[in-house]
Amino acid sequence: MLDDFLIRAALAGLGVALAAAPLGCFVVWRRMAYFGDATAHAAILGVVLSLALSMSVFAGALAVALAMAVTVSSLSGRGYGMDTMLGVLAHSSLAFGLVAVTFLPGVRIDLSAYLFGDILAVSKGDLLVIWGGAAVVLGLLWARWQQLLLSTLSPDLAYSAGINPRREQLVLTLALAIVVAVAIKVVGALLIGAMLIIPAAAARALSTTPERMAVLAAVIGGLAALGGLQGAFLLDTPAGPSMVCVAAIFFAVTTLFRRPGRG
């Protein structure tokens, strides 16, 4: 069954959606949309380093994405606005990654595959990495759900309950780095942020509890992945962007039918 490239692509899309969409709820609640983009852009530099060192692309992207996430968390509150710092780090790391590619002798790389994804080229080994990463992310969210939620809603209340919000933010940054590393081959660095945010934003209009929002976000993300693949197959369009387009349609529909005052 896994010899069919469309089956592999569908499983890869579902794996990324299941990991990204629930995590995206925290990105939406914490207003960290630009944080996700910055981490994803930094992953391009990780791809280049992995090729230069002849190591796994997943390992290189994970290392740099994690370094970026920890750096941003550590530098917050140092006199610069968060949006300014994220803009500088995101665009700088992406630029350095694109420039560094030209210094790799004998290495031919299709940058568009890492910028916009190449889900149809996913291998069985990639599937193991994607679903393994998704399992880790979902496990982290499951184990730390109450602590993460309380830290998100009220850091002061979290402190009074004996929870360190700083530690919970590091858990989120670790989960975000893993999602970026596993998703870069599926939707690409420029579209990872969309798969984090759009399903969660679409689910928000239909949800009355945080748990319901996380579940609905995963469902919408999965439907967007499968619908985007189907559309790409029928219309001969790029698979990664097609998945984001379907997610955007879900968001538009839920926004139109959202009850006033919700979300």
Side-chain angles (χ1 to χ4, degrees), residues 94 136 138 257:
L94 178 60
V136 171
L138 292 175
F257 291 96

Side-chain angles (χ1 to χ4, degrees), residues 176-196:
L176 184 59
I178 294 173
V179 166
V180 167
V182 301
I184 193 168
K185 191 165 185 177
V186 176
V187 291
L190 299 184
L191 299 177
I192 291 172
M195 291 305 291
L196 278 167

Side-chain angles (χ1 to χ4, degrees), residues 14-257:
L14 286 174
V16 169
L18 288 176
L23 180 62
C25 293
F26 286 98
V27 173
V28 170
W29 292 330
R30 289 174 173 251
R31 293 180 170 87
M32 293 170 58
Y34 206 6
F35 186 90
D37 282 338
T39 306
H41 290 176
I44 289 295
L45 182 57
V47 170
V48 176
L49 291 177
S50 66
L51 293 174
L53 300 175
S54 299
M55 58 188 291
S56 166
V57 169
F58 168 77
L62 176 61
V64 174
L66 184 58
M68 171 66 133
V70 172
T71 298
V72 171
S73 298
S74 302
L75 293 180
S76 60
R78 296 292 183 90
Y80 291 100
M82 180 62 78
D83 58 341
T84 300
M85 184 164 45
L86 286 173
V88 170
L89 292 176
H91 299 306
S92 298
S93 58
L94 178 60
F96 276 112
L98 295 177
V99 170
V101 170
T102 63
F103 294 98
L104 296 180
V107 175
R108 299 186 64 181
I109 175 175
D110 180 12
L111 280 177
S112 64
Y114 293 104
L115 292 175
F116 301 103
D118 190 9
I119 191 173
L120 298 180
V122 167
S123 66
K124 294 179 182 179
D126 293 329
L127 279 179
L128 289 176
V129 170
I130 290 169
W131 279 93
V136 171
V137 171
L138 292 175
L140 282 174
L141 293 179
W142 177 270
R144 309 295 303 176
W145 179 262
Q146 292 299 329
Q147 294 90 331
L148 288 169
L149 190 59
L150 188 57
S151 298
T152 298
L153 296 176
S154 174
D156 292 335
L157 189 59
Y159 270 120
S160 67
I163 299 170
N164 185 349
R166 192 80 172 179
R167 180 187 61 206
E168 303 310 317
Q169 183 171 338
L170 287 176
V171 171
L172 279 180
T173 59
L174 173 60
L176 184 59
I178 294 173
V179 166
V180 167
V182 301
I184 193 168
K185 191 165 185 177
V186 176
V187 291
L190 299 184
L191 299 177
I192 291 172
M195 291 305 291
L196 278 167
I197 298 164
I198 298 177
R204 189 173 192 174
L206 305 174
S207 305
T208 54
T209 65
E211 292 79 9
R212 179 181 173 88
M213 180 173 165
V215 172
L216 282 176
V219 171
I220 291 173
L223 292 175
L226 295 179
L229 282 173
Q230 180 70 16
F233 180 74
L234 294 176
L235 302 175
D236 194 24
T237 56
S242 296
M243 292 163 57
V244 176
C245 288
V246 174
I249 292 172
F250 274 110
F251 173 73
V253 171
T254 58
T255 299
L256 287 174
F257 291 96

